[in-house]
Amino acid sequence: MDELTLTEALLSMKLGNPPSPGEHVVVDVDLVYLHDGTFTLALEVLRRLGAERVFDRRKVLLFIDHAAPAPHLAAATTHLAMRRFARKHGVKLYDAGAGISHQVVAEEALAGPGDVVVGADSHTVTLGALGALATGFGSTDAAVAMASGRIWLRVPEPVKIVLSGEPPGWVMGKDIALALLGALGADGAIYSSLEIRGPALKAISMDSRLTIANMGVEAGAKYTLFPVDEVARAWMEARGRKVKPLSPGVRARYSDELVLDVSGLEPMVAKPPRPDNVASVSEVDGVEVDQVFIGSCTNGRVEDFHAAARILRGRRVRDGVRCIAVPASRRVYMELLRDGTLEVLAAAGCIVAHSTCGPCIGAHLGLLAEGEVAVSTSNRNMPGRMGHRESKVYLANPATAAAAAVTGRIIDPRTLLPRGVRLMEV
Amino acid sequence: MALRVRGRAWRLGDGISTDHIISGKFKYQKARLEEMLPYLLHEIIPDFYRKVKPGDVIVAGKGFGYGSSREHAARLLKMAGVGAVVAMSVHRIFYRNAVNVGLYIAISKNVPPATETGDIIIVDLDKGIVGNETKGIYERLPPLHPIVKELLEAGGLEGYVASRGKLPWEADNLTSHP
């Protein structure tokens, strides 16, 4: 066993023996989920195939999270079809406001180590933080997985990502994710399985791990896998899932390796027009900002809003700037409500909204006009992603986003951090 | 069916994402693919869907199909008449989607850098060749996985199931683990 990569070890749990990279295998699926952006096509495929059924109603989930509650009739029509499908087949539906699929699956520990998760959304990789073999598929693959309970996979090449050093108190998962993306490039990990490991891991929270796993797909990765260490085990057990520790073998062989020293990281930013166009925050200091978005499956968790609140407490969002704050799930929303974070955000002038993917994909809740600039904690910033094709999006961590909301420009959030206050809780 | 396309090139750059192909802000306002078609690649090439001719070939740089899993991207390219995509590298979800909907893809190191819009491109997945006839540049392609080939020959997964009455992984020629 000490020769297996994490990818091989997890696939072995499924297959009985370890496969080789490049091999095609057929596996049973543990969880399939679709959302309102991908469901309609999937249903059409099933109907044309004459196979409108689900293989196991407990292993299929539907999420109304992308344009929700319906901002227009097209969305309303889709949502209605999803509710009808869920009722007809006895499938659990997470309706508008319940949360973004990946966050809900993670926080309820609906997937765990070695589970094969077919998500009809590219950010399904997020669940690699829990050791799940989770990745995104198109609607046809998801439809067939939903009906048959099986899928074919190409076994990915494992790439070792070593996080060395100790993260300083201001380094968030987003900074690590962006630094990795800058090093790998937007196509640097196509079809790879990124295995995140190294001595820094023990100081990296689950919220941050979910962020790092989430953005692996921006480099093309099929999986971004974390070991099941003490942090992950405790987190999953607190959510009712008992798991055994699992790490890559000491003699595991990788097709590539990258070392990132997190102790020297500054707050990182991805400049438009690509997420791998990475710079430190000081390199883009002073860029004027019209809108700030704090949320998404990348950075809509409790840790993220706590960091934002440390910057926003006692301050005001600058006149002329909109700051949209969207917790990634109702559970996150409720926790932030109880601990007072939402009050800090609202008092600062943030628009605190229900959970939705909306702003990140330009679906609703804050599109950008021509020439406008946004700082967003989401994952993508290609032209027109959040609105007009001549708008610009800088990706950053929630503290940098909050600092931009307060000052109206991109600024190192550490300059606004009150003396003696750490950004991160670890 | 011969897996062969010969058509005019539309040269695109690196990092063409599924957002470039069909932007979320348009996609989410439309319920049906036909209604999304006018927005296909619209922000790079306005009215692309009207300008493209059946069998035309998208020739792009690195990282084609990056981003969202939206299968709409592959389906709309096919619906508009695009015969094939030739790119220096292709993101995994887009690649799978393309195969599932029967859109030909060739990954080529040498053809895209030499290609200009309007050049004549051939993609022959039977013979394993991609080339730019105008520039006289040809490149061998690695053999396709037998199931990928069969899926493309059937016009995609739906066609495969319709003609064979089973899913590809129920076929005999897939190496399956015990």
Side-chain angles (χ1 to χ4, degrees), chain A residues 12 14 25 36 51 100 192-193 214 236 261 276 291 363 384 419:
Chain A
S12 303
K14 212 66 205 172
V25 298
D36 49 313
I100 299 171
S192 302
S193 176
N214 174 276
M236 281 188 265
D261 181 358
D276 65 339
Q291 180 168 301
R419 185 182 291 272

Side-chain angles (χ1 to χ4, degrees), chain B residues 2-83:
Chain B
L3 300 177
R4 188 173 190 280
V5 165
R6 183 175 178 278
R8 297 182 311 161
W10 291 87
R11 180 73 166 93
L12 304 176
D14 290 340
I16 299 299
S17 67
T18 51
D19 267 80
H20 290 95
I21 300 170
I22 177 66
S23 173
K25 63 183 169 287
F26 302 130
K27 172 185 173 287
Y28 281 93
Q29 290 180 22
K30 308 293 174 193
R32 297 170 54 243
L33 277 175
E34 290 77 6
E35 298 170 315
M36 298 174 198
L37 194 58
Y39 301 101
L40 175 65
L41 287 169
H42 180 63
E43 292 184 330
I44 306 178
I45 307 167
D47 290 324
F48 175 78
Y49 79 111
R50 273 200 272 224
K51 295 172 182 164
V52 65
K53 293 205 176 72
D56 282 1
V57 176
I58 300 270
V59 180
K62 292 186 218 163
F64 189 84
Y66 156 65
S68 161
S69 72
R70 59 189 73 152
E71 191 175 291
H72 311 68
R75 284 188 183 269
L76 287 168
L77 287 171
K78 200 177 175 200
M79 185 182 278
V82 169

Side-chain angles (χ1 to χ4, degrees), chain B residues 74-161:
Chain B
R75 284 188 183 269
L76 287 168
L77 287 171
K78 200 177 175 200
M79 185 182 278
V82 169
V85 172
V86 178
M88 295 173 74
S89 61
V90 176
H91 275 265
R92 151 189 174 267
I93 306 176
F94 185 87
Y95 189 94
R96 274 189 84 123
N97 287 346
V99 171
N100 280 339
V101 306
L103 175 67
Y104 302 170
I105 291 203
I107 295 169
S108 161
K109 201 163 52 181
N110 302 322
V111 171
T115 296
E116 295 171 276
T117 293
D119 288 356
I120 298 299
I121 304 295
I122 60 149
V123 176
D124 191 325
L125 299 177
D126 287 321
K127 294 195 178 124
I129 287 173
V130 56
N132 180 326
E133 285 187 2
T134 310
K135 299 285 178 359
I137 290 172
Y138 298 88
E139 187 174 335
R140 282 227 153 269
L141 298 168
L144 294 172
H145 188 283
I147 288 189
V148 170
K149 192 156 184 281
E150 286 173 13
L151 282 167
L152 291 173
E153 281 167 350
L157 187 132
E158 287 179 44
Y160 185 103
V161 174

Side-chain angles (χ1 to χ4, degrees), chain A residues 124-308:
Chain A
T124 307
V125 285
T126 308
L127 301 167
L130 311 184
L133 295 164
T135 194
F137 293 87
S139 294
T140 297
D141 274 324
V144 167
M146 174 161 66
S148 73
R150 287 164 74 73
I151 195 148
W152 71 316
L153 300 172
R154 181 185 171 282
V155 178
E157 284 77 16
V159 173
K160 181 176 173 180
I161 305 284
V162 180
L163 303 182
S164 69
E166 196 159 330
W170 61 79
V171 165
M172 304 192 67
K174 186 60 159 287
D175 304 311
I176 296 171
L178 289 175
L180 285 175
L181 187 54
L184 289 164
D187 60 349
I190 288 180
Y191 252 112
S192 302
S193 176
L194 302 179
E195 297 192 7
I196 315 287
R197 42 193 292 188
L201 220 54
K202 60 182 181 299
I204 297 174
S205 69
M206 285 306 287
D207 278 5
S208 275
R209 293 179 189 201
L210 289 161
T211 302
I212 296 166
N214 174 276
M215 287 197 77
V217 72
E218 314 313 330
K222 178 172 195 163
Y223 302 126
T224 325
L225 298 173
F226 282 74
V228 186
D229 63 2
E230 191 44 37
V231 175
R233 194 196 57 75
W235 194 87
M236 281 188 265
E237 289 205 357
R239 286 155 179 81
R241 181 178 279 268
K242 274 218 166 297
V243 294
K244 288 193 207 120
L246 186 67
S247 292
V250 287
R251 289 190 292 135
R253 284 166 40 149
Y254 290 86
S255 51
D256 210 344
E257 180 173 337
L258 178 72
V259 179
L260 178 72
D261 181 358
V262 299
S263 57
L265 273 187
E266 282 191 61
M268 303 298 286
V269 167
K271 299 179 284 184
R274 285 162 56 144
D276 65 339
N277 193 16
V278 168
S280 68
V281 70
S282 55
E283 291 174 72
V284 290
D285 184 75
V287 172
E288 289 187 20
V289 172
D290 300 290
Q291 180 168 301
V292 169
F293 170 48
I294 306 174
S296 84
C297 59
T298 308
N299 274 136
R301 286 175 272 280
V302 170
E303 169 183 288
D304 300 320
F305 288 100
H306 283 179

Side-chain angles (χ1 to χ4, degrees), chain A residues 61-65 92-99 104-105 108 110:
Chain A
L61 302 173
L62 300 184
F63 291 88
I64 297 180
D65 61 4
K92 172 130 181 160
L93 170 91
Y94 290 83
D95 212 318
V104 171
V105 173
E108 295 188 14
L110 300 176

